[in-house]
Each structure stands twice: as structure tokens, then as C-alpha cells.
């Protein structure tokens, strides 16, 4: 959440900072600002609203000149999205200028102390206390000021810092919020996300928790929390600058929907050998280790949690093991019952999700085996797990996930098939059919994407509705959860997902003439049950859109039908979610919503 960019080089900083912020705007877009050393003092320009407002303000003021600076796009937490609350923030004398991602939990107490010490606050933010603390503890060395001040902060932070006494330096620090540094021919860079740096370099230094850095024009020095120098190794990021561009599509979300066959193919490719078996070399679990697992926990947030719900159905059917799926923010506080015989699977696109990372640490304290599924190499969750499997979704820019979710599903299928193979819980022919369907999944998803025109027509018929209910049973219900979330995220339509069998336990009271019900009906085993539920909502005036396969279509009573390609029943959610993503996209487009940057949301939730 929020975006940080810093630059120290020989070129004009303002253009580099604005371009970097443009790549990061999906992480925060309530307000924006920059600070650039000009005549050896940081000049701050900031404004509420989108980055375009900042560009306009810079264009109408006296030119901002200088080659060292920091920039920020904010997603508001403490204080409204106003110009006064926009970053950067400065200490009383302007000695320190700070941009910050994260939350300082004890900021109110620190603010009281600093106010008593005579410091003046001009914003409602938690960030301003950092600037004043740095000034308070400054004795001529910015790194030592950080060493003294930062331990007083409770919570999370990624910081970009300028010190007026050192106009040739840029400083950074990190605790529980992502931050990277890079070196290129154009200078040194600081950023919260690689997207801001890809046009300059794909080789980065990742900050570990508690580390500090001082960036010169052609150098990056790292320090531990005590101020001692530490050696860092570069990491190469396997992304191209083109991967964070729209590639001719109107929105990143549509581009990423269309990239799902490739994301699934790339995720599956390393794990199937020439004999049709599943091989996972990264998994440090022998068949005996797997047999000792008596319970699996899947822990995640948002769409990753919905992927986990699918995983529960798949694992329990394949492995006959008890599986529990937890929202990370609940798991971390509920004193879960687990031990060395428990396997905890952590799912996170960014690998930095704050609640999920805290849940991982809670599970580690209790002795569980930890396996993470993440999309970002070298991320905090990846580094702190016992084992890590990387999805190959590539860069995902739209706030509402599509291809990362599909890649997570693919990885869960791989794990389920591999465990079943090791435990011999599924007959050989049945397992071979599943693995064969997995190999064909990218092509099956490609065929589902061909429904785009049909789905767009259906969206045109229903986009004016203000309420929608998604229903399904078993894996259809798991897919309905994600389908409903996509609609509410980007179109702002009130949308809920329910197991179809729960309708009569209260929810059906909300169904009236014209209510939209999206029925997912791809489970042939439960089709007649769901068909009866459709009749119930139709009898009360609902408009019904059904998602089904060719072999389930005949038994349904619906106003509109979306027929998706058939595949193995356990991996059907990967197919039926495709038209649901497209439906959400086209509805949001017709409602003139900001599809890639929906209000109040940010891509990577790195605070509680």
C-alpha cells in the first residue's frame, strides 16, 4: 500500500520520480508528492488526488530542478486524503524530509511527547512523527539518527529520507513493509516495487527487516539496525519493462485476464515430467514426511483466501485429510491448534501481505511445517518459509487480481496431485486423468476467454443493478466467492456469495423482482440441487444468469446462460471464474468505474 520512489543521479530527478510514481499509482492514489534537492534544500510539491494533479501543479509552478529526490503516492490511513496529509513530510526546520509506507501504531503517544518537546505538527498523519524524531536524535550523522529514532516506532514502515545536511545522499529503511534499492547507469534508486525501476534495471538489493541504506549517485551502502555495515547481494528480477505496460489493452485488468492461459502454463510447466507424473523438487518433504501430516491449514487474505477454499475441496477429496482454511487476520490472533504434524500453506501474491506474514510467524512459533505460494521471489513470506513454490503470473498491476489468483489455483492443484501421488490415495487411472486435465488447462482457459463477447452482452443487460447474489454448491460455491468479490471490487455493486443450500436460511428474503442472481452450475453431481434453488429465486422474480458446462445446461431454468468448456471437476473453478472476471470487468466499464484503481483499495496490503 502506497508507493515510494527515490532517485540519486546525474539526471533531472522530477521526471524520473513522476514516471516511477506512475508505475506505482496502483499502490496508492489518494494523494501524491515529491521532494527534490534544489539549491541544497529539499523542495516539496504535493497535492491531493491522483498523480495527474501533481503533474499539473508541478507544470504550473516554478520549475523543480535537482538530481536527488523522493516521491510518494498515498493510500490514506491516518488522516483524510488532503494536500496537508500527502507525503513527503518534513521536520520543523526542514532538516529531514520523509516518505513512508506502513503504519506507526504508537504515533499518538510519540506525537504527545514530541509536542511537549516543542515540535509542531501540520498534518494528521502518523508519518510526521518520524521526521520529527529523526531531527530530535540527529547529531550530524543521518544513519545514526535512524539507529536511535527507528526503534522507538511500533508498527511497520518503508522509508525514503532526505537530510538537508547531505544533499548528495538518499536514505532508506525498512521494517515489515517492502523496499528495494537498485543501481544503474543513471544513478541509484529506491522503490517499494520493482515496477518503478524496470526501465532502468532489473538487478535490485532487497532490504531485510531492520536494515538501513545510504544511496549515493553510484553506490548503495547497507547497515543493520545498529548502524554496522552489512554486505548485500543483488537479486535479478525476471520481468521486462513491457510486462508493466498495457500492451494495447484499454485496462491492465483486461490485459491480465487475457494473460491467464500463459500464467497457468508457466506455473504448471516445471512440475510435470515426461512420464506424466508430478515432480516438485522444491518440496523438502519425503513420502514419509507427507504421511506424518495429520492436518493442513491454508492461510491467506482476499482472493488468495478464495483460492484456499478451492484448495480445501481439492485436498480433502484427493487426500482424505482434514483441511482448514483461515483468513490470515483471524488466524494470527486465534491461538490455532497446530504442531509439527501440521502443514500450513501460506498464499500471497506479493509475499508481503502483513496479516499473512504475521500468520506465518505464528505458525512457525508453534512448530508447523511452512509451505508458501507466492508470486514474488525474495519476498518476506518466501524468505521466512520452510519451503516456497513460486507462481509464474508475472507482474500484476490491476488492483483486482485475476491471473495471480488463477496461478494460485494451478499451484494448489499441483500440490494436491503430488501429495495424492505420494500417498497413493487416488487410483492410478483417476490421478492420470487429473494430471492430463491439468496439462490441458491453459488451452481450456483460452477457450473460456473466447466467451468475452457473450459475457459483454450479458453485462450490458444487468450493469444497472445495485445488488447481486452469487450461488453455487461445493466447488461452484468456492468459485462464486471470487466471482462476487471481483464484481464488488471494481463496479461498487453490492454483491454476496452464498452456498445455494443456504438460501432458505435467511438470504432468500432479499430476493425480489429484478434481483440479479448469478448461479454457478458446473458440478454435475449437484446440478439438480442447484437447479431447484434457481427455481426458488426465479419464483420470487430474480433475473438469473447461469454458468454451466455443455452437459449441465439442459436442466437449468435461467434468463441467460454462459456455457464454459468442460474439464475435470476438481479444476472447474479455474474455468468458470473466467467469464465471471469478464462480467465484472464489462459491468464496471459500463458504469464508468476506475477499473484498475478502484476506490479505497490498494494492491498490496502491507498494514493491518
Amino acid at each position: 500500500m502506497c508507493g515510494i520512489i527515490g532517485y540519486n543521479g546525474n539526471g533531472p530527478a522530477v521526471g524520473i520520480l513522476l514516471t516511477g510514481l506512475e508505475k506505482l499509482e496502483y499502490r496508492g492514489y489518494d494523494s501524491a508528492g515529491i521532494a527534490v534537492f534544489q539549491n541544497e534544500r529539499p523542495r516539496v510539491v504535493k497535492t491531493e488526488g491522483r498523480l495527474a494533479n501533481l503533474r499539473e501543479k508541478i507544470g504550473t509552478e516554478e520549475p523543480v530542478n535537482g538530481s536527488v529526490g523522493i516521491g510518494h503516492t498515498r493510500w490514506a490511513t491516518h488522516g483524510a486524503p488532503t494536500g496537508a496529509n500527502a507525503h513527503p513530510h518534513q521536520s520543523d526546520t526542514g532538516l529531514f524530509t520523509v516518505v513512508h509506507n506502513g503504519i506507526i501504531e504508537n504515533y499518538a503517544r510519540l506525537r504527545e511527547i514530541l509536542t511537549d518537546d516543542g515540535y509542531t505538527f501540520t498534518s494528521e498523519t502518523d508519518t510526521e512523527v518520524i521526521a520529527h524524531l529523526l531531527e530530535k536524535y540527529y547529531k550530524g550523522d543521518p544513519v545514526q539518527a535512524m539507529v536511535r529514532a527507528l526503534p522507538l516506532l511500533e508498527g511497520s514502515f518503508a522509508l525514503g529520507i532526505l537530510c538537508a545536511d547531505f544533499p548528495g545522499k538518499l536514505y532508506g529503511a525498512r521494517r515489515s513493509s517492502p523496499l528495494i534499492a537498485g543501481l544503474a547507469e543513471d544513478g541509484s534508486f529506491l522503490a517499494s516495487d520493482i515496477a518503478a525501476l524496470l526501465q532502468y534495471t532489473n538487478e535490485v538489493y532487497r532490504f531485510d527487516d531492520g536494515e538501513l541504506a545510504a544511496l549515493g549517485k553510484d553506490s548503495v551502502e547497507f547497515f543493520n539496525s545498529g548502524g554496522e555495515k552489512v554486505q548485500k547481494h543483488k537479486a535479478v528480477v525476471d520481468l521486462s519493462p513491457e510486462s508493466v505496460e498495457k500492451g494495447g489493452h484499454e485496462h491492465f485488468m483486461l490485459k491480465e485476464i487475457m494473460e491467464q492461459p500463459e500464467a497457468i502454463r508457466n506455473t504448471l510447466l516445471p512440475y510435470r515430467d515426461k512420464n506424466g507424473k508430478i515432480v516438485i523438487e522444491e518440496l523438502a518433504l519425503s513420502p514419509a514426511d507427507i504421511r506424518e501430516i495429520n492436518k493442513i491449514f491454508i492461510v491467506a487474505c482476499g482472493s488468495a483466501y478464495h483460492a484456499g477454499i478451492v484448495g480445501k475441496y481439492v485436498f480433502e477429496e484427493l487426500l482424505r485429510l482434514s483441511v482448514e482454511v483461515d483468513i490470515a487476520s483471524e488466524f494470527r490472533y486465534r491461538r490455532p491448534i497446530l504442531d509439527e504434524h501440521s502443514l500450513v500453506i501460506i498464499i500471497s501474491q506479493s509475499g508481503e501481505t502483513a496479516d499473512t506474514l504475521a500468520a506465518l510467524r505464528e505458525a512457525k512459533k508453534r512448530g508447523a511445517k511452512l509451505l508458501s505460494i507466492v508470486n514474488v521471489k525474495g519476498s518476506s513470506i518466501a524468505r521466512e518459509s520452510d519451503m516456497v513454490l513460486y507462481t509464474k503470473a508475472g507482474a500484476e498491476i490491476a488492483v483486482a487480481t485475476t491471473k495471480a489468483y488463477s496461478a494460485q489455483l494451478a499451484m494448489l492443484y499441483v500440490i494436491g496431485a503430488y501429495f495424492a501421488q505420494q500417498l497413493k490415495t487416488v487410483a492410478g487411472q483417476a490421478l492420470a486423468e487429473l494430471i492430463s486435465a491439468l496439462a490441458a488447462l491453459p488451452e481450456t482457459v483460452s477457450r473460456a476467454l473466447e466467451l468475452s463477447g457473450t459475457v459483454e452482452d450479458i453485462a450490458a443487460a444487468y450493469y444497472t443493478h445495485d445488488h447481486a447474489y452469487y450461488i453455487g454448491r461445493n466447488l461452484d460455491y468456492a468459485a462464486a466467492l471470487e466471482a462476487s468479490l471481483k464484481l464488488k471490487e471494481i463496479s461498487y455493486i453490492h454483491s454476496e456469495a452464498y452456498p445455494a443450500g443456504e438460501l432458505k436460511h435467511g438470504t432468500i428474503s432479499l430476493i425480489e423482482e429484478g434481483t440479479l442472481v448469478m448461479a454457478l452450475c458446473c458440478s454435475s453431481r449437484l446440478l439438480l440441487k442447484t437447479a431447484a434453488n434457481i427455481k426458488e429465486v426465479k419464483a420470487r422474480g430474480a433475473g438469473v444468469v447461469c454458468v454451466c458446462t455443455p452437459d449441465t445446461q439442459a436442466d437449468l431454468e435461467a434468463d441467460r446462460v454462459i456455457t464454459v468448456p468442460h474439464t475435470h471437476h476438481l479444476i472447474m473453478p479455474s474455468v468458470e471464474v473466467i467469464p465471471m472476471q469478464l462480467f465484472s470487468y464489462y459491468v464496471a466499464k459500463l458504469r464508468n468505474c476506475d477499473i484498475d484503481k478502484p476506490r479505497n483499495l490498494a494492491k498490496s496490503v502491507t498494514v493491518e
Side-chain angles (χ1 to χ4, degrees):
M1 300 171 82
C2 305
I4 287 174
I5 179 71
Y7 172 69
N8 186 353
N10 297 309
V14 65
I16 291 171
L17 295 177
L18 290 174
T19 300
L21 292 180
E22 184 178 295
K23 305 297 184 186
L24 297 176
E25 195 175 10
Y26 70 98
R27 296 178 65 97
Y29 37 88
D30 292 333
S31 59
I34 62 168
V36 174
F37 271 113
Q38 190 164 333
N39 300 322
E40 299 193 344
R41 298 293 293 182
R43 180 180 169 193
V44 175
V45 184
K46 56 185 183 177
T47 182
E48 63 184 274
R50 298 293 175 87
L51 186 60
N53 296 357
L54 180 64
R55 284 187 180 275
E56 182 179 354
K57 185 173 182 179
I58 290 171
T60 57
E61 292 187 353
E62 178 187 339
V64 181
N65 298 314
S67 58
V68 182
I70 52 178
H72 190 268
T73 55
R74 180 174 183 246
W75 188 86
T77 55
H78 295 67
T82 64
N85 290 330
H87 297 210
H89 291 285
Q90 292 189 296
S91 59
D92 269 357
T93 66
L95 180 62
F96 283 95
T97 306
V98 176
V99 291
H100 166 222
N101 292 353
I103 286 180
I104 306 306
E105 296 171 356
N106 63 332
Y107 86 100
R109 178 59 183 149
L110 291 172
R111 187 176 178 126
E112 289 179 7
I113 294 169
L114 289 163
T115 300
D116 290 343
D117 288 343
Y119 290 90
T120 302
F121 285 82
T122 59
S123 78
E124 304 168 272
T125 68
D126 54 339
T127 302
E128 197 175 356
V129 303
I130 303 171
H132 293 317
L133 278 176
L134 289 169
E135 181 167 307
K136 177 177 179 177
Y137 287 98
Y138 179 67
K139 305 295 182 186
D141 183 343
V143 171
Q144 288 304 312
M146 294 158 70
V147 168
R148 296 184 184 98
L150 299 187
L152 301 176
L153 305 176
E154 297 174 7
S156 62
F157 54 78
L159 303 175
I161 301 168
L162 302 179
C163 178
D165 285 352
F166 292 83
K169 288 286 187 180
L170 165 66
Y171 300 91
R174 180 225 175 177
R175 183 202 295 162
S176 300
S177 197
L179 194 64
I180 57 175
L183 270 177
E185 291 183 4
D186 301 294
S188 63
F189 298 85
L190 189 71
S192 54
D193 192 301
I194 185 61
L197 304 190
L198 279 176
Q199 67 187 96
Y200 307 105
T201 182
N202 68 339
E203 295 183 346
V204 300
Y205 301 94
R206 299 188 187 278
F207 283 70
D208 287 320
D209 257 9
E211 285 186 337
L212 323 171
L215 286 71
K217 293 186 187 300
D218 55 7
S219 64
V220 180
E221 289 184 299
F222 277 86
F223 307 86
N224 62 21
S225 59
E228 300 166 323
K229 285 189 179 182
V230 295
Q231 294 297 315
K232 299 289 287 185
H233 297 287
K234 288 181 183 178
V236 178
V237 179
D238 187 21
L239 292 172
S240 66
E242 292 75 24
S243 67
V244 294
E245 301 295 339
K246 292 178 183 175
H249 293 279
E250 187 174 354
H251 297 95
F252 279 110
M253 184 177 180
L254 183 59
K255 171 180 179 274
E256 289 155 10
I257 288 172
M258 296 301 174
E259 288 175 339
Q260 287 177 111
E262 181 184 8
I264 293 169
R265 183 179 294 110
N266 291 341
T267 297
L268 293 173
L269 189 62
Y271 302 112
R272 188 167 183 253
D273 70 12
K274 60 183 179 181
N275 299 314
K277 299 286 187 181
I278 298 292
V279 178
I280 309 180
E281 294 179 355
E282 303 95 321
L283 210 57
L285 293 172
S286 68
D289 293 330
I290 296 172
R291 282 192 291 272
E292 288 183 358
I293 296 169
N294 58 23
K295 191 167 186 177
I296 297 174
F297 293 80
I298 303 176
V299 182
C301 301
S303 293
Y305 169 75
H306 295 158
I309 298 289
V310 174
K312 172 184 172 68
Y313 284 108
V314 171
F315 289 0
E316 289 190 339
E317 179 165 334
L318 291 176
L319 311 179
R320 307 311 301 151
L321 267 176
S322 175
V323 180
E324 191 170 313
V325 187
D326 272 86
I327 294 172
S329 57
E330 292 297 313
F331 181 89
R332 65 181 293 192
Y333 291 121
R334 74 170 179 84
R335 300 176 67 188
I337 301 170
L338 63 167
D339 56 25
E340 68 275 12
H341 299 296
S342 308
L343 173 66
V344 177
I345 299 177
I346 300 288
I347 310 176
S348 168
Q349 186 276 139
S350 67
E352 302 289 351
T353 312
D355 286 317
T356 310
L357 181 57
L360 180 154
R361 291 167 178 166
E362 180 67 24
K364 180 176 283 191
K365 285 194 300 187
R366 296 172 185 270
K369 299 177 179 69
L370 294 170
L371 168 61
S372 66
I373 297 173
V374 298
N375 196 50
V376 179
K377 290 186 177 180
S379 57
S380 296
I381 288 174
R383 293 199 305 270
E384 295 190 29
S385 296
D386 300 325
M387 300 161 281
V388 57
L389 298 177
Y390 289 106
T391 52
K392 304 296 195 307
E396 189 176 64
I397 304 302
V399 168
T401 184
T402 51
K403 64 176 181 173
Y405 168 81
S406 289
Q408 290 163 355
L409 288 184
M411 190 63 77
L412 287 165
Y413 302 146
V414 165
I415 295 168
Y418 179 75
F419 277 27
Q421 184 178 278
Q422 298 301 310
L423 296 174
K424 297 182 170 36
T425 50
V426 177
Q429 181 59 34
L431 186 59
E433 290 173 0
L434 172 61
I435 294 172
S436 178
L438 267 180
L441 184 58
E443 175 58 29
T444 310
V445 168
S446 292
R447 286 160 50 208
L449 286 167
E450 294 172 2
L451 296 165
S452 179
T454 299
V455 176
E456 187 172 9
D457 289 343
I458 294 173
Y462 292 103
Y463 78 95
T464 58
H465 285 61
D466 292 321
H467 304 277
Y469 298 92
Y470 287 72
I471 62 172
R473 290 173 180 262
N474 199 266
L475 282 162
D476 288 335
Y477 164 61
L481 287 166
E482 177 61 12
S484 173
L485 178 62
K486 283 288 121 352
L487 187 67
K488 73 176 70 171
E489 279 182 317
I490 64 168
S491 74
Y492 316 141
I493 291 173
H494 167 247
S495 174
E496 302 296 338
Y498 291 93
E502 275 292 292
L503 280 172
K504 289 189 287 292
H505 296 274
T507 309
I508 203 165
S509 66
L510 299 172
I511 305 299
E512 57 188 6
E513 191 71 31
T515 302
L516 174 60
V517 174
M518 307 290 288
L520 278 63
C521 309
C522 295
S523 172
S524 57
R525 180 170 64 91
L526 296 169
L527 179 63
L528 295 180
K529 300 289 186 183
T530 307
N533 299 129
I534 292 171
K535 290 180 185 295
E536 290 165 355
V537 297
K538 284 285 291 179
R540 288 155 178 82
V544 178
V545 177
C546 281
V547 180
C548 59
T549 58
D551 57 325
T552 59
Q553 180 175 351
D555 296 301
L556 298 172
E557 182 181 328
D559 299 290
R560 300 293 185 98
V561 174
I562 302 170
T563 306
V564 297
H566 182 75
T567 187
H568 192 286
H569 72 279
L570 287 180
I571 62 177
M572 201 67 228
S574 288
V575 182
E576 60 189 323
V577 78
I578 299 299
M580 296 295 89
Q581 293 170 344
L582 288 166
F583 179 78
S584 299
Y585 172 80
Y586 288 121
V587 166
K589 183 178 176 182
L590 288 164
R591 291 168 72 98
N592 295 314
C593 297
D594 193 338
I595 291 172
D596 288 334
K597 296 186 282 287
R599 68 188 183 203
N600 301 332
L601 299 180
K603 183 65 178 174
S604 180
V605 184
T606 55
V607 298
E608 283 196 65

